[in-house]
Amino acid sequence: MRLEQRTGRTLRTRAEIQAYVREVAAHRAADRPSVRRWLQVKKFTLIALLAFSFMQYYMLDVLLEITSMHSTVFFVPARAPVLLKSAIHALG
């Protein structure tokens, strides 16, 4: 596609082309609303990924601490089960 069709101007001389290039170079991409919106999305995504990675690191650290704990075994004395006889069996 020709430059004139893209710009919507008639560029006949070298000076007109240079003036157009200077004009385009003066505009920053960050000034466009769609670019600003995508920059905000990018920042939000990076912050969310940072928070998620911190949570994963914390959970991994906690699980590692739990697995490295020494176990303690407790023996709880238990009595022999007492059999309760009903009154019907005692009379019979």
Side-chain angles (χ1 to χ4, degrees):
M1 187 178 267
R2 290 178 37 176
L3 183 62
E4 288 180 344
Q5 290 174 339
R6 286 210 176 251
T7 61
R9 300 179 183 184
T10 55
L11 303 171
R12 298 186 189 266
T13 64
R14 179 180 215 97
E16 289 176 349
I17 294 173
Q18 288 175 345
Y20 174 72
V21 169
R22 271 188 251 112
E23 181 183 325
V24 170
H27 294 293
R28 291 185 17 200
D31 294 339
R32 300 178 72 186
S34 62
V35 173
R36 274 188 263 134
R37 196 173 20 237
W38 280 111
L39 286 174
Q40 289 176 348
V41 168
K42 181 177 85 170
K43 286 179 186 176
F44 176 75
T45 304
L46 288 175
I47 290 170
L49 287 173
L50 179 67
F52 181 71
S53 64
F54 175 76
M55 287 173 42
Q56 275 191 326
Y57 172 76
Y58 180 75
M59 289 299 295
L60 182 65
D61 185 48
V62 168
L63 290 175
L64 185 63
E65 289 290 327
I66 290 171
T67 57
S68 66
M69 288 175 60
H70 298 289
S71 62
T72 305
V73 179
F74 293 98
F75 292 101
V76 179
R79 293 192 289 193
V82 177
L83 296 177
L84 300 176
K85 294 182 180 179
S86 67
I88 298 173
H89 287 84
L91 296 175

